[in-house]
Amino acid sequence: MFNSHNGPTFSRTITLKDLLTKINNIATQQFQAKYSEARAQKITKTVLNLKEKRVEAAKQGIENGVAIRVLVNGAWGFASVGSMDMNILKTAVSDACKMAKLASERLKTPIKLASTKVIQDRVVAKPQKNPSEISIEEKIKTALSISKSSLGFDKRVKSCGIDYMDLMGNNLFTNSEGTCIEQDKLYVWARITASARSNNIFTFSREEIGSTFGYEVFDEHSPEDLGTKVAERAIQQLAAKSPKGGKFPVVLGSNVVGVFVHEAFGHLAEADLALSGGLLASNLNKKLGSDLVTFYDDGTMEGSFGAFKYDDEGVASSKTLLIKDGVVTGLMHNRETAQKFNTEPTGNARAEDFRVEPIIRMRCTYMAPRDRTFEELFEGVKFGYYFKSYRGGQATLDGTFQVGIQEGYEIVNGEIGAPVRNASISGNALETLHKVDAVGKDFALDPGRCGKGQIAFICDGGPHIRLSEVVVGGSA
């Protein structure tokens, strides 16, 4: 996915590099900033929205700008501008430093940063099909092919929506410590939804795809197959029944496991949220799950939708162990929280674009596989449910979670039975982790987007697993 070349110079951006270096020098020398960083961005971006076979929005353009963040008197100051003009950048530095000084007057504990390596590197993306070189007409044609395939699958399919986005560009990061990283960004993402109706029964289906390789993702997932897949799932659910409400054993597909790990545990393991009242800050090194539970947040999995070499603080991405055999072993950190916890930064500081500050975000979050076959997960289950894919999920800082299911089935005497619709699972994440009593040896990941004030491209997944019991939502 990426080629990396160590070296002290960046021939393509030498002028911009010198400009950002001057900005950092102004912050530290003229305004007494203890630390300064500048992050310049130039990306080409396309956004499409289709409803049925109509193009409702089509946008394509270039986004340019610089983010400046400074640490003065133990407080952060931040400014961003959509310009590379030196005079405008000097004003932005001044504004950021003034903001930091004002903030420091109300700060009880000065912010300190964990030390990190000084890095000079260039990371280059080499797609087979660069999305910025694909015409918007061709992208619309691809989306229309998905819509046509979905709506033409069955007359009971009543709607098909497609959201598409790609971006290709370059980030240049420099700081007052000497780090200088030029890093390409490349994402291609699409979400397809379909609804079906029959005899006053309505169903919904969704599918997401994402790639950090290039537009060739539509060679791997053809538009026709994508449209058929979401339509077929929506139609299948028309014949499904509502699940019984109550506590039952369940087998969860990797798609549901991923969103459970992300929503129910991953956010709790983001160190900034842990410090803001989350459960895990006081539970490090404590056993909070069964021996079968091991979680990672990994930014190094090449090809995954959450992978990158360096985060937006210039820290190398890493494979971060969050839980090992049920014991909480670590959190996701930026430089500030790593200092507070007396540990190493993990490379989780991410910013959506130059307009915002980097915050702690997940990358590729997953449960590690074990040794059970798919068939073995169903053995001994007299009655329960197999939930294959999710519809949506949410969680709170006290560990309460709910995950909606878009494709599910009964389990009867160890066999997959009739389909169910409009199901959900809910409970407390830490209690549920103790209910994991079997983990499969398969493994799959799914791309997605996560909102935390900003949008981040992420990936999650794992193996199939079995819970001895969980609360299933449905009819009484």
Side-chain angles (χ1 to χ4, degrees), residues 272-293:
D272 54 348
L273 295 185
L275 288 167
S276 300
L279 295 174
L280 296 190
S282 59
N283 282 292
L284 285 171
N285 302 314
K286 294 182 180 179
K287 191 170 179 61
L288 298 181
S290 82
D291 292 345
L292 299 173
V293 175

Side-chain angles (χ1 to χ4, degrees), residues 58-89:
K59 303 175 184 178
Q60 193 169 50
I62 296 174
E63 294 185 356
N64 257 332
V66 178
I68 299 165
R69 191 168 65 152
V70 297
L71 191 60
V72 181
N73 296 339
W76 284 119
F78 177 80
S80 66
V81 294
S83 171
M84 306 292 178
D85 181 84
M86 187 60 183
N87 290 326
I88 294 176
L89 290 171

Side-chain angles (χ1 to χ4, degrees), residues 214-231:
Y215 201 74
E216 56 263 34
V217 66
F218 290 108
D219 296 331
E220 180 183 354
H221 305 279
S222 75
E224 293 75 19
D225 288 346
L226 286 168
T228 298
K229 185 175 183 178
V230 292

Side-chain angles (χ1 to χ4, degrees), residues 236-237 384-388 407-411 416-420:
Q236 182 186 54
Q237 295 301 298
Y385 292 98
Y386 170 38
F387 294 140
K388 186 176 181 180
E407 183 177 358
Y409 305 87
E410 290 181 341
I411 303 173
I416 298 175
V420 295

